[in-house]
Structures are given as structure tokens and as C-alpha cells.
Amino acid sequence: MGLVDSLFGKDARKFLKRKDSDAAEAGRALEELRSSLYNELKTSEGAKRQQQRFCGPVVAMSFNFIVAVGIILANKLVMGRVGFNFPIFLTLIHYAVAWILLAFFKSLSLLPMSPPSKTTPFSSLFSLGAVMAFASGLANTSLKHNSVGFYQMAKIAVTPTIVLAEFVLFKKTISSTKVVALAIVSLGVAIATVTDLEFNLFGALVAVAWIIPSAINKILWSNLQQQANWTALALMWKTTPFTVFFLLALMPWLDPPGVLLFKWDLGNSSAILVSALLGFLLQWSGALALGATSATSHVVLGQFKTCVILLGGYVIFGSDPGFISICGAVAALAGMSVYTWLNLPGKSIDHSSSKLLPNQNTAVSKPKAENDDGGGETAVVSAEPNLSKTTTANIV
């Protein structure tokens, strides 16, 4: 200090002390913030508040949209150039990697706390894990045995199935205006994407069988988060082992033989690993979107993605899907805009009564103030068709 005093005087010493004091205060503030977030994650209510604070509807759905586009490109690489034609096993890898990452988060005490077991029956978690596996497995099998157009028609049918299922299970109703908007969206997507309807009996049966698990999967993900204080990561941690188990059971029935003969070199393995990491992000973002909005809104988001990809290819890359397809995509986007506007605060005129999930024992925190119609598609791993004749399995 003597050297500092002699060279710069007492003012310099005061300045240095003030800088040290500011740095110490900033450090204490960061430590307090870290401790606060850490303590919040130790209760399911606190973790839920943090998820609602940082991942509102716009953030969650934007996150899901961006990752969904990325997984389409990654899985086209894996299923096309790499030649990994085992969609169920790829889905299994995605969920296995997701579970490993969640276990790593848990070891670092970064995984949010789950609600008390008495608030959510084990049967609900088991059912969700099983439904996720069947929804993804049947989706990939449907895409394998059906044309893209027939698959897309089955996917469009998920929207009315969700509306009907929520009315039967929870007595939720939606306004006639929203029904019209959803009808326009479905019709527009059908006109834009359904260019071929090749039919075979087995493929049609699989497609029809996939619709109900897909709808129930979305409803369960949304309702468990909104009405039972589950966060996306906590629910993923509890249900992923069941999904892996059922995918293992489905793989011999739905995947072709020869997976052990695949060339597992560094390049191929790296591409599959990137696809799996994106699959984890998609599962997480899909769960966040379902927790922040509803099952119906998440389906509309998927249809929005389909239309954007079609129109983006036309505008950016000069592809020519045809005038009728472009008109259908524009009509679908218009219907989505109306549906979104109707869900803005103060616009909804729905008269729905929120109910807890079947067999749920205790009343829990109030759902988020989301004026929507319903309750992995979360992060369900399913197949997203290319808008051409090429079929590739993707997580949606």
C-alpha cells in the first residue's frame, strides 16, 4: 500500500477499496441468487414457479418449434445418409440418452423436486410412460406402412380426438368460434400436405390405433403439469423408465432385423448421438409447451411447423409444392392466427370446468391462467413426415 500511496495517493487507495467492495457485493448477490434458485428446486411448488417464470407460453412454444426443425434435419441425416433404418431403436436411444442426462442432473441436485407421491397415483405415471411408447412406436410404424398423405390425415385427426377426449374426461368445452378456427386449420393442412392417399389395411389399422395414444399422451402431459405441480424435467424423470421398457418390448415387433449388423463407426455414432441430444431437447421443450399451454395448442403448433416448412421451402429454396398446397398452407396459418387471438387473455369465451385427473387424491395448486382449450405432443417421440414422398422418423 505504501507504494500505491506514494505513486497515486490516498484517492487511488480508496478507489481500489471501493472496487473490491463492489466485487464482493456482486459476488454475494450472485451467491444469494444461486442459493435462492437451489432452494426453489427443493420443493415441487418452487420448481413449478420457476418454470412458469422463465418458460411462459411464448418461450416454451418457440423453444419447441426451433428444436423440432433441428430434429427433422438431424433425423433426415440419420435415416437417410447414415442409413439407420430402425426407427423404434432410434427412439429408444433418444429416451435412454434423455434418462442418462436426467440422472446426471439429479446427481448435481439440479433436477426439480417431484410432488408428493400421494398427489399423483403411480398408475398415472405408469400410464403416461406406456402411452408415450405406444404413441411413438405406432407413429413410426404408420409412417413406414402408409403414404405420407395418409399419415398426415391421421395426424390431423388428433385435434378433434383431443377435444372429444377432454370433454369426456374433464367436461371441458370450447367455443364454436374456436371450433371453426380449428376446422380451418385442419382443412388447410390437409389441402397443403395430403397429396397422396395410398391405402393398405394394416397401415390404416396402425394409423387409427395411433390417434388415441397420441391424443391421450398430450392431455396427460398438460394436465399433470398444470394441475399437479409437476415440472417438465421431474415428470420426464419419473416416466422415461416406463417408456424405455415398453419401447424394448415393441422393438422386436416393429423394427426390421439387423440392428446389430449396423456399422457403428465414429461418424455414424456421432450423428445418432446428435439426434439423441436434440431428441432430449425436443422432449423437454414439448413438455414445457404442454405445461404452459394445452394439448390442442401443441397440436396447432405442430401443424404450424408443417406449414412453415412447406412455405419456407417455396420462398427460400424455390420448391414448387403447387398452387393448391400453398393456398392450403396460407388458409391454415390464417386459422392458426384466429385461434391464437381467441386464446389471448380476455378473448376466450370458453366455459370449461377444470377437473383433476382421474384418481387424483388431493387438491393441488391452481393451474396457470392459460385461456386455452385443453390440457412428448410432448415429448412424444413420433414420426414427422417429409413433405415430399420421402419418409423419415423424427421426434415431434
Side-chain angles (χ1 to χ4, degrees), residues 88 247-256:
I88 306 303
L247 285 171
L248 283 170
L250 288 173
M251 191 171 65
W253 299 92
L254 301 178
D255 262 357

Coordinates of all heavy atoms in Angstrom, one line a residue, residues 88 247-256:
I88 N -37.7 -47.5 -34.2 CA -38.1 -47.8 -32.8 C -36.8 -47.8 -32.0 O -36.7 -47.2 -30.9 CB -38.8 -49.1 -32.7 CG1 -40.0 -49.1 -33.6 CG2 -39.2 -49.3 -31.2 CD1 -41.0 -47.9 -33.3
L247 N -40.7 -49.5 -25.0 CA -40.0 -49.5 -26.4 C -39.2 -50.8 -26.6 O -39.1 -51.3 -27.7 CB -39.2 -48.2 -26.5 CG -39.9 -46.9 -26.7 CD1 -38.9 -45.8 -26.5 CD2 -40.6 -46.9 -28.0
L248 N -38.6 -51.3 -25.5 CA -37.8 -52.5 -25.7 C -38.7 -53.7 -26.1 O -38.4 -54.5 -26.9 CB -37.1 -52.8 -24.3 CG -35.8 -52.1 -24.0 CD1 -35.4 -52.3 -22.6 CD2 -34.7 -52.4 -25.0
A249 N -40.0 -53.6 -25.5 CA -40.9 -54.7 -25.8 C -41.4 -54.5 -27.3 O -41.7 -55.5 -27.9 CB -42.1 -54.6 -24.9
L250 N -41.6 -53.3 -27.8 CA -42.1 -53.0 -29.1 C -41.1 -53.3 -30.2 O -41.4 -53.6 -31.3 CB -42.6 -51.6 -29.2 CG -43.9 -51.3 -28.5 CD1 -44.2 -49.8 -28.5 CD2 -45.1 -52.1 -29.1
M251 N -39.8 -53.1 -29.9 CA -38.8 -53.1 -30.9 C -38.7 -54.4 -31.7 O -38.6 -54.3 -33.0 CB -37.4 -52.8 -30.3 CG -36.3 -52.6 -31.3 SD -34.8 -52.0 -30.5 CE -34.3 -53.5 -29.5
P252 N -38.8 -55.6 -31.1 CA -38.8 -56.8 -31.9 C -40.0 -56.9 -32.9 O -39.9 -57.6 -33.9 CB -38.8 -57.9 -30.9 CG -38.3 -57.3 -29.6 CD -38.8 -55.9 -29.7
W253 N -41.1 -56.3 -32.5 CA -42.3 -56.4 -33.4 C -42.3 -55.3 -34.5 O -42.9 -55.6 -35.5 CB -43.5 -56.2 -32.5 CG -43.6 -57.3 -31.4 CD1 -43.2 -57.2 -30.1 CD2 -44.2 -58.6 -31.5 NE1 -43.4 -58.3 -29.4 CE2 -44.1 -59.2 -30.3 CE3 -44.9 -59.3 -32.5 CZ2 -44.5 -60.5 -30.0 CZ3 -45.3 -60.5 -32.3 CH2 -45.2 -61.1 -31.1
L254 N -41.8 -54.2 -34.3 CA -42.0 -53.1 -35.2 C -40.7 -52.7 -36.0 O -40.8 -52.0 -37.0 CB -42.5 -51.8 -34.4 CG -43.8 -52.0 -33.7 CD1 -44.2 -50.7 -33.0 CD2 -44.9 -52.4 -34.7
D255 N -39.5 -53.1 -35.5 CA -38.3 -52.8 -36.2 C -37.9 -54.0 -37.1 O -38.1 -55.1 -36.7 CB -37.2 -52.4 -35.2 CG -37.0 -50.9 -35.1 OD1 -37.7 -50.2 -35.7 OD2 -36.2 -50.5 -34.2
P256 N -37.2 -53.7 -38.2 CA -36.7 -54.8 -39.0 C -35.5 -55.4 -38.3 O -34.8 -54.8 -37.5 CB -36.3 -54.1 -40.3 CG -36.0 -52.7 -39.9 CD -37.0 -52.4 -38.8

